[in-house]
Amino acid sequence: MAIREELRSGCFWRAVLAEAMATLIFVGVVLGASAAPGPLAPALAGGLAAAAVACALGAPQANPALTLALLCTRKLSALRGAAGLLAQCAGAVLASAAARSALPDDASLVTRVSAAGTAGQAWGWETFATFQLALAAFATADWAAGPTGLALGSAVAAGALAAGPFSGGSMNPARSLGPAVVTGIWDDHWVYWLGPVLGAVLAGFSYEFVFAPGASREKLGACLACRDVALVEATSPSPSSPPTAPSRGPPPAEQGRDTA
């Protein structure tokens, strides 16, 4: 679809609005819970919010790392990706500004590297935690029906609990960007972009080209050559399909996996 036609599409703007609203809700809930002592409250709040948003708004990414992973695996157009990133960052900044005005101590809003660890350790945990979250997100996108919200919420909570003692368990660059903008605290901010983006991109390539039902070398080659992956999916039989016995009639239609 041409860019001009895309910009005139109501579906496009609804998707952009959903990204902004989902990120605002998610970040706002997590920041409100961060006022409680310990990592348990933010982890549970983030998991429950992610599950609710996935069910209410049609599973938006609400996470720049996931959006960039979709762009790298050619599951999302450049226009939708750029608009989604801007909407996510705007939603996160609005949520952070509201949280700062409501909470007495804004220092708890900012994700920080643990005093007992290093920035490198925090980066490693952010990468790992986001990897398992993005893997769940890519897999649930293939489910025709299933507990999508439960899977995503569980992945968010698990990642936050695992990485929380080392990095705060952000797994979402927008969640770290919003508080940094409104407080002016940018300590080790690169950790919360490089880690989640790397983890999400690695998970996207791992699922799409190794674990997905339609994974193939041809599909990987099309992605690396910047060609349309959907054309390869449409013309390649699914490796999960059982082989059919030869018959005298016309050959059965080849099956391909629909794109997300």
Side-chain angles (χ1 to χ4, degrees), residues 69-70 72-76 138-139 141-142 203-239 255-260:
L70 289 171
C72 289
T73 54
R74 301 186 61 80
K75 307 292 286 184
L76 194 67
F138 272 81
D142 276 347
F205 274 86
S206 297
Y207 181 79
E208 288 296 323
F209 308 122
V210 178
F211 299 111
S216 66
R217 287 179 296 178
E218 291 78 11
K219 186 177 172 183
L220 175 60
C223 179
L224 295 177
C226 297
R227 292 187 284 112
D228 192 352
V229 176
L231 294 177
V232 178
E233 290 180 326
T235 57
S236 300
S238 171
Q255 297 178 351
R257 189 170 63 87
D258 294 335
T259 57

Side-chain angles (χ1 to χ4, degrees), residues 100 106-112 176-189:
R100 189 188 187 195
D106 58 11
S108 63
L109 304 180
V110 181
T111 46
R112 297 174 183 268
S176 296
L177 175 67
V181 170
V182 301
T183 63
I185 301 174
W186 297 88
D187 298 344
D188 298 311
H189 189 72

Side-chain angles (χ1 to χ4, degrees), residues 60-172:
Q61 293 100 53
N63 186 332
L66 295 179
T67 301
L68 290 171
L70 289 171
L71 282 170
C72 289
T73 54
R74 301 186 61 80
K75 307 292 286 184
L76 194 67
S77 70
L79 178 61
R80 283 186 177 255
L85 287 171
L86 292 175
Q88 291 159 5
C89 293
V93 171
L94 289 175
S96 301
R100 189 188 187 195
S101 65
L103 297 176
D105 181 16
D106 58 11
S108 63
L109 304 180
V110 181
T111 46
R112 297 174 183 268
V113 174
S114 171
T118 65
Q121 291 173 335
W123 168 77
W125 278 101
E126 284 293 318
T127 302
F128 170 73
T130 312
F131 178 90
Q132 60 87 33
L133 169 61
L135 197 64
F138 272 81
T140 54
D142 276 347
W143 298 353
T148 302
L150 177 61
L152 293 177
S154 299
V156 169
L161 289 172
F166 304 93
S167 64
S170 174
M171 300 176 289
N172 188 328

